[in-house]
């Protein structure tokens, strides 16, 4: 079945890079996503990557996809306090339009 | 577009009472999802609709939970009777099949339910 796993917590200093990792199980996933959830808010789409790509860069965000190992990562360059949030990866599995979300990684940015 | 709109934002109710959560999806989106988020279980998919028809309700925890989508612009999630363990944040999300690869889901702000 579908399963998406993430580490629960990451702490980084302001200005450093953050790397949030995710592993998934469904090799048929077409798209993989990263969502951000700030306190008291819903999930907000940050970025996505198509499964035939290895990397996607969007300003401070870099997504790396290793399809062989079913590993997805999100790198945030120059991490700011406003980046403190929970980050969810998600895969679009075999059922069209149904996403499976990971457990979420809480990113804490310290001064 | 105002995005996915959920109401109420907060609901406090007594055990045994009926609770109704509401959702207005983005116009033109033909998929609607209900999720529940708790510290213990994370984000759980409860049910989703396509063109107003329930497709998969295997995540609905018990018969106390029911969801309807009478038209393309409105959905409800009802809990009757409510129990303290139902306390959670309930999210509604919508998407369109054509756009799912580009936009993923759009989430509402959630309803924080507390059952005392």
């Amino acid at each position: 079945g579908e399963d998406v796993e993430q580490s629960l917590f990451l702490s980084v200093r302001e200005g450093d890079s953050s790397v949030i990792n995710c592993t998934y199980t469904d090799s048929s996933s077409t798209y993989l996503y990263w969502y951000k959830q700030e306190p008291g808010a819903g999930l907000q789409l940050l970025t996505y990557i198509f499964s035939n790509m290895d990397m996607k860069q969007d300003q401070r965000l870099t997504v790396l996809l290793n399809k062989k190992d079913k590993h997805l990562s999100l790198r945030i360059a120059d991490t700011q306090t406003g980046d403190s949030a929970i980050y969810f990866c998600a895969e679009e599995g075999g059922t069209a339009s149904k996403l499976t979300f990971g457990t979420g990684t809480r990113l804490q940015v310290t001064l | 577009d105002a995005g996915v709109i959920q109401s109420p934002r907060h609901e406090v109710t007594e055990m045994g009472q009926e609770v109704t959560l509401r959702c207005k999806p983005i116009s033109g989106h033909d998929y609607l999802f209900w999720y529940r988020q708790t510290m213990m279980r994370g984000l759980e998919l409860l049910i989703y609709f396509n063109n107003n028809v329930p497709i998969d309700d295997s995540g609905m925890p018990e018969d106390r939970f029911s969801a309807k989508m009478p038209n393309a612009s409105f959905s409800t999630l009802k809990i009757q009777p409510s129990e303290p363990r139902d306390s959670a944040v309930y999210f509604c999300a919508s998407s369109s099949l054509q756009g799912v690869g580009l936009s993923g889901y759009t989430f509402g702000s959630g309803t924080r339910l507390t059952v005392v």
Side-chain angles (χ1 to χ4, degrees), chain A residues 33 35 37 45 95 97 99, chain B residues 33 37 48 56 100 103 105:
Chain A
Y33 303 84
Y35 283 80
Q37 185 182 29
L45 179 65
T95 305
S97 222
L99 298 186
Chain B
F33 305 82
Q37 186 177 36
Y48 78 96
D56 183 353
V100 69
S103 64
Y105 292 179

Side-chain angles (χ1 to χ4, degrees), chain A residues 1-5 23-30 70 90-102, chain B residues 35 45 48 56 58 105:
Chain A
E2 300 163 353
D3 197 14
V4 182
E5 295 187 354
T23 57
Y24 62 97
T25 56
D26 191 341
S27 58
S28 67
S29 295
T30 307
K70 298 191 186 70
E91 62 170 350
E92 180 192 344
T95 305
S97 222
K98 181 180 172 182
L99 298 186
T100 299
F101 287 87
Chain B
Y35 282 86
L45 175 64
Y48 78 96
D56 183 353
S58 59
Y105 292 179

Side-chain angles (χ1 to χ4, degrees), chain A residues 27-66:
Chain A
S27 58
S28 67
S29 295
T30 307
Y31 289 94
L32 296 120
Y33 303 84
W34 284 103
Y35 283 80
K36 176 184 181 183
Q37 185 182 29
E38 296 181 353
L43 279 70
Q44 177 188 14
L45 179 65
L46 269 184
T47 187
Y48 66 93
I49 188 167
F50 189 49
S51 59
N52 68 354
M53 298 168 65
D54 298 324
M55 185 182 85
K56 179 180 180 181
Q57 189 150 1
D58 184 1
Q59 300 182 335
R60 292 190 299 122
L61 305 178
T62 302
V63 179
L64 295 178
L65 175 60
N66 181 329

Side-chain angles (χ1 to χ4, degrees), chain B residues 1-70:
Chain B
D1 198 318
V4 175
I5 299 172
Q6 290 187 249
S7 64
R9 283 302 308 273
H10 302 274
E11 176 82 31
V12 180
T13 191
E14 289 185 346
M15 183 173 64
Q17 296 297 307
E18 178 180 294
V19 175
T20 300
L21 311 181
R22 296 172 176 79
C23 175
K24 179 178 173 13
I26 289 177
S27 177
H29 279 188
D30 49 4
Y31 284 84
L32 183 139
F33 305 82
W34 282 101
Y35 282 86
R36 177 172 70 176
Q37 186 177 36
T38 60
M39 289 290 290
M40 292 296 292
R41 291 200 170 108
L43 202 59
E44 301 174 276
L45 175 64
L46 300 177
I47 185 172
Y48 78 96
F49 297 83
N50 177 218
N51 292 323
N52 313 338
V53 176
I55 302 300
D56 183 353
D57 66 354
S58 59
M60 296 285 262
E62 297 169 35
D63 291 345
R64 297 184 296 107
F65 286 68
S66 62
K68 292 182 180 179
M69 192 163 185

